[in-house]
């Protein structure tokens, strides 16, 4: 008889070293509960605008179900190039400086794998989207954590960043507008960071997936700063702005050398992004602006509503200027983030994600997505009011 | 247009019953500021009317609706306005529009029965001097009214938690 086998020994060390996601754990806590109101969702509550879905359906009817160029449909890259030129005067060559990916998620992964050598340090600014640290680890790099603070409204300052830079630093991952804090950067903040980036010869991986969800002021792409285009891998996608999460479509814009190396990985691991989603994305860029702006205005109203609500019930909340998250401080209740959210879930059936899931800097805070219906937001605030009152 | 005003109008267009308090919370204004802004919008005629969309079928009031297309001849010194006014004064007439294309004017008419509507058109509309001919189309089912879908299919479920 052949010896028994323990499959766990086949799991690679590098994967074992990836810590489990705190959000995943929360998911398990929620499943099975009834009458739950969720502020835990990182996706729009809108359905993809009909004209986009209709275009996808039409393409399927026509039989457009083939592979595309590894880089993505040429028309889509042309339209992306035009869009960024129109919005910001940014000049990206559609043939060599744009790669269409399966969501920003894939773009994060391949951007890091394309530039990180074993042992390179990559600075991750926390509170941060949960994918960055694991993606750095899986790329063989060493994540170095830098924390932003409530007092700076979670903007990254040069003072905080500078001490984290060493001779081994390769890149910085930035994400503004930010998940989970809703923070955006001012031009001065960005210029300070750009100075450091140039001084220390670094690369910036800038996840700007919430670009269009900027409510106050205008979004500033990191690559639009003087001297930063060659030093930036700009990542973006259609999930948030056009409510296309399940379509899985994103893109990267960077120098030809970097795009080519990302494509090297992409062509073997993904081959190309799904064609139906690419066709939908093209339609979104061409004709989706009105619908997108309508959704943004709707988020903007919910933003005011939820921020005022939190402050009224005694949870200090700064006004986030981007994305669709509010990040109230719950530490004053004497509970930790995770105690607060676990009890809130069990006692009042409201899901909000504890801030420490996004890094230690998030401890004391709660990520509340306001991409939920007004009815749900009202109920959530009422229930949280009762909860806080009963503590 | 001022962004705050746009927000107020969009909120009210969706829900005419939104209170100044509710609107204030959505726009980072005070309820008083909202009331003042709305009063001004009403005065200047930007806000015309507050109305309710009702599915009368559900309470057993089976109104009959018809779209009527009119071809008209204009008389000397008279524009379309004159004929439109004659027509819109009938309470049976729910809307009157001047159109480009084959027909000049389109009406929606509401009555208690098909006979009701047909007689109304034959007696009151077709007999007008300026009306050359009419085409009556009875409405069989309304799927969407003024931007509101009347029989919405079930909502799609999202995962309760995601990244
Ligand atoms: C900051 C950030 N980046 C990337 C993603 C993933 O985006 P995509 O759906 O394009 O993979 C998310 C989704 O929540 C996000 O919040």
């Amino acid at each position: 008889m052949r010896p028994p086998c323990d499959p766990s020994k086949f799991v690679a060390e590098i994967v074992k070293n990836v810590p489990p996601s705190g959000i995943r754990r929360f998911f398990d806590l929620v499943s099975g509960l009834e009458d739950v109101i969720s502020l835990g969702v990182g996706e729009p509550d809108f359905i993809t605008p009909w004209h986009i879905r209709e275009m996808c359906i039409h393409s399927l009817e026509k039989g457009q179900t083939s592979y595309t160029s590894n880089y993505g449909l040429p028309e889509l890259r042309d339209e992306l190039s035009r869009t960024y030129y129109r919005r910001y005067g940014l000049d990206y060559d559609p043939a060599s400086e744009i790669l269409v990916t399966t969501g920003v998620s894939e773009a994060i992964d391949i951007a890091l794998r394309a530039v990180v050598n074993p042992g390179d340090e990559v600075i991750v600014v926390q509170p941060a989207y949960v994918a960055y640290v694991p993606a750095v680890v899986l790329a063989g790099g060493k994540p170095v954590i830098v924390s932003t603070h409530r007092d700076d409204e979670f903007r990254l300052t040069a003072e905080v960043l500078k001490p984290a830079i060493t001779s081994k630093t390769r890149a910085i991952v930035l994400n503004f507008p930010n998940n989970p804090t809703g923070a955006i950067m001012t031009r001065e903040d960005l210029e300070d960071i750009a100075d450091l980036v140039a001084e220390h010869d670094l690369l910036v991986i800038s996840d700007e997936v919430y670009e269009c969800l900027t409510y106050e002021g205008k979004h500033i792409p990191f690559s639009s700063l003087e001297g930063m285009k060659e030093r930036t891998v700009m990542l973006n996608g259609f999930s948030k702005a056009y409510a296309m999460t399940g379509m899985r479509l994103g893109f990267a814009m960077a120098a030809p050398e970097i795009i080519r190396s990302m494509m090297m990985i992409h062509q073997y691991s993904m081959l190309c992004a799904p064609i139906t989603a690419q066709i939908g994305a093209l339609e979104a860029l061409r004709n989706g602006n009105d619908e997108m702006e309508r959704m943004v205005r709707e988020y903007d109203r919910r933003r005011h509503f939820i921020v005022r609500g939190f402050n009224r019930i005694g949870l200090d909340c700064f006004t986030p200027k981007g994305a669709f998250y509010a990040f109230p401080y719950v530490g004053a209740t004497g509970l930790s983030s995770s105690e607060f959210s676990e009890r809130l879930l069990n006692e009042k059936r409201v899901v909000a994600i504890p801030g420490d899931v996004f890094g230690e800097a998030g401890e004391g805070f709660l990520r509340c997505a306001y991409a939920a219906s007004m009815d749900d937001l009202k109920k959530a605030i009422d229930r949280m009011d009762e909860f806080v009152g009963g503590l | 247009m001022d962004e705050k005003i746009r927000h107020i109008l969009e909120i009210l267009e969706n829900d005419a019953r939104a209170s100044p308090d509710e609107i204030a919370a959505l726009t980072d204004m005070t309820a008083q500021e909202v009331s003042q802004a709305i009063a001004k919008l009403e005065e200047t005629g930007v806000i015309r009317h507050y109305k309710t969309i009702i599915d009368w079928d559900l309470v057993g009031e089976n109104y009959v609706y018809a779209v009527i297309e009119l071809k008209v001849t204009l008389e000397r010194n008279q524009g379309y306005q004159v004929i439109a006014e004659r027509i819109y004064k009938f309470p049976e007439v729910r809307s009157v529009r001047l159109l480009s294309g084959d027909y000049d004017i389109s009406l929606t008419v509401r009555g208690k029965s098909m006979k009701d509507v047909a007689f109304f058109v034959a007696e009151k509309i077709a007999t007008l001097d300026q009306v050359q001919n009419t085409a009556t189309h009875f409405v069989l089912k309304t799927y969407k009214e003024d931007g509101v879908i009347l029989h919405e299919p079930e909502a799609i479920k999202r995962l309760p938690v995601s990244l």
Side-chain angles (χ1 to χ4, degrees):
Chain A
M1 206 177 72
R2 293 176 180 135
C5 163
D6 169 14
S8 67
K9 72 165 178 279
F10 294 119
V11 175
E13 289 307 317
I14 198 166
V15 179
K16 284 189 194 146
N17 288 338
V18 174
S21 156
I23 289 191
R24 190 68 234 167
R25 199 178 69 84
F26 231 72
F27 189 83
D28 298 336
L29 289 178
V30 174
S31 57
L33 294 181
E34 297 279 320
D35 182 33
V36 168
I37 293 180
S38 183
L39 308 182
V41 190
E43 67 177 331
D45 66 318
F46 297 108
I47 303 171
T48 311
W50 173 244
H51 70 102
I52 297 172
R53 283 184 283 154
E54 205 270 340
M55 189 60 102
C56 294
I57 293 167
H58 181 60
S59 76
L60 289 170
E61 283 172 346
K62 279 198 298 185
Q64 287 181 286
T65 56
S66 57
Y67 293 132
T68 70
S69 149
N70 298 129
Y71 285 98
L73 287 173
E75 302 91 315
L76 177 57
R77 283 179 281 136
D78 283 348
E79 199 61 44
L80 282 166
S81 174
R82 275 198 289 275
T83 301
Y84 279 84
Y85 186 75
R86 197 171 57 234
R87 284 189 195 157
Y88 306 107
L90 278 168
D91 193 1
Y92 282 101
D93 173 19
S96 64
E97 297 184 310
I98 302 177
L99 176 68
V100 178
T101 60
T102 306
V104 177
S105 302
E106 188 216 352
I108 293 166
D109 177 41
I110 61 177
L112 286 162
R113 284 202 276 157
V115 304
V116 171
N117 288 314
D120 278 353
E121 293 179 358
V122 176
I123 295 177
V124 174
V125 185
Q126 288 185 340
Y129 179 52
V130 291
Y132 303 141
V133 165
V136 171
V137 171
L138 289 170
K142 180 167 173 276
V144 173
I145 306 304
V146 154
S147 299
T148 59
H149 302 285
R150 165 71 175 89
D151 289 345
D152 301 319
E153 298 199 333
F154 294 101
R155 297 186 324 263
L156 175 65
T157 61
E159 283 139 83
V160 170
L161 177 60
K162 197 174 168 132
I165 300 173
T166 72
S167 57
K168 294 209 195 99
T169 309
R170 182 77 163 183
I172 309 176
V173 182
L174 293 183
N175 168 225
F176 295 99
N178 181 262
N179 175 6
T181 64
I184 63 173
M185 295 281 273
T186 64
R187 180 169 290 277
E188 297 77 72
D189 301 326
L190 288 168
E191 295 289 357
D192 289 349
I193 304 300
D195 286 342
L196 282 179
V197 166
E199 184 187 329
H200 297 275
D201 198 16
L202 306 177
L203 181 75
V204 169
I205 297 176
S206 187
D207 176 350
E208 302 181 18
V209 72
Y210 294 100
E211 167 196 345
C212 296
L213 280 70
T214 299
Y215 308 103
E216 297 178 28
K218 199 167 176 281
H219 178 74
I220 303 169
F222 198 82
S223 57
S224 70
L225 303 170
E226 196 267 314
M228 287 299 116
K229 190 177 164 223
E230 281 68 34
R231 295 189 175 277
T232 306
V233 185
M234 174 162 77
L235 310 181
N236 206 330
F238 294 82
S239 289
K240 317 291 172 172
Y242 299 96
M244 287 171 62
T245 45
M247 300 257 193
R248 313 305 309 124
L249 208 77
F251 56 91
M253 293 185 171
E257 296 79 358
I258 293 177
I259 288 297
R260 199 178 314 118
S261 58
M262 287 173 69
M263 197 281 289
M264 294 293 283
I265 307 172
H266 173 79
Q267 70 178 341
Y268 297 126
S269 58
M270 204 62 64
L271 211 158
C272 68
I275 186 171
T276 312
Q278 293 193 58
I279 289 167
L282 183 57
E283 172 64 17
L285 289 178
R286 285 187 175 156
N287 299 310
N289 211 55
D290 287 355
E291 283 280 289
M292 184 260 281
E293 285 180 352
R294 187 185 59 78
M295 293 189 276
V296 173
R297 285 198 300 274
E298 184 73 43
Y299 292 135
D300 190 16
R301 298 197 278 267
R302 298 174 187 179
R303 174 177 77 109
H304 288 307
F305 176 82
I306 200 166
V307 169
R308 189 179 283 195
F310 284 139
N311 286 312
R312 179 170 51 79
I313 67 176
L315 298 177
D316 169 64
C317 186
F318 80 103
T319 303
K321 297 197 170 81
F324 41 51
Y325 308 101
F327 208 54
Y329 180 64
V330 297
T333 60
L335 300 179
S336 72
S337 297
S338 45
E339 285 165 349
F340 190 99
S341 33
E342 255 173 68
R343 284 187 54 186
L344 180 65
L345 175 61
N346 290 327
E347 294 169 30
K348 297 291 171 192
R349 298 280 189 267
V350 175
V351 184
I353 309 293
D356 62 334
V357 161
F358 308 96
E360 259 171 55
E363 176 49 48
F365 296 86
L366 208 57
R367 188 192 77 173
C368 302
Y370 52 85
S373 73
M374 273 309 297
D375 278 351
D376 277 3
L377 294 181
K378 279 180 196 158
K379 277 191 223 151
I381 293 280
D382 288 347
R383 291 186 190 186
M384 288 172 81
D385 191 11
E386 285 171 24
F387 176 71
V388 173
L391 284 176
Chain B
M1 184 185 0
D2 180 73
E3 269 306 301
K4 301 260 186 220
I5 297 294
R6 179 194 288 277
H7 280 301
I8 293 175
L9 291 175
E10 280 188 356
I11 293 165
L12 287 174
E13 187 176 42
N14 252 321
D15 177 8
R17 301 207 320 161
S19 70
D21 270 330
E22 285 168 325
I23 297 174
L26 294 168
T27 51
D28 198 27
M29 300 167 81
T30 66
Q32 200 191 355
E33 285 166 345
V34 172
S35 299
Q36 281 166 358
I38 292 177
K40 186 137 176 247
L41 290 164
E42 289 170 353
E43 259 166 49
T44 50
V46 176
I47 295 178
R48 286 282 166 177
H49 191 77
Y50 298 92
K51 74 172 243 182
T52 307
I53 293 171
I54 295 169
D55 192 338
W56 284 105
D57 285 358
L58 292 182
V59 286
E61 188 72 85
N62 297 313
Y63 283 120
V64 172
Y65 290 84
V67 177
I68 316 227
E69 293 164 338
L70 305 183
K71 191 133 185 67
V72 303
T73 38
L74 291 185
E75 289 174 6
R76 266 207 174 154
N77 311 327
Q78 283 192 353
Y80 287 106
Q81 179 78 23
V82 175
I83 170 99
E85 275 173 22
R86 281 196 85 90
I87 292 171
Y88 69 52
K89 286 189 176 130
F90 291 110
E92 292 87 342
V93 174
R94 309 289 297 173
S95 69
V96 180
R97 293 187 176 84
L98 181 63
L99 303 182
S100 65
D102 290 346
Y103 285 85
D104 301 311
I105 285 180
S106 150
L107 322 176
T108 18
V109 172
R110 182 168 86 177
K112 294 247 182 224
S113 67
M114 280 169 93
K115 214 165 117 191
D116 230 23
V117 173
F119 272 113
F120 171 75
V121 175
E123 285 176 6
K124 307 289 187 207
I125 305 293
T127 51
L128 292 172
D129 285 346
Q130 302 95 323
V131 173
Q132 263 182 14
N133 59 51
T134 67
T136 302
H137 309 274
F138 285 102
V139 173
L140 302 181
K141 186 173 170 70
T142 301
Y143 296 97
K144 191 175 183 183
E145 181 74 35
D146 261 347
V148 177
I149 294 169
L150 297 183
H151 303 277
E152 196 105 45
E154 215 176 298
I156 304 293
K157 279 247 183 303
R158 295 186 297 167
L159 299 172
V161 177
S162 71
L163 309 186

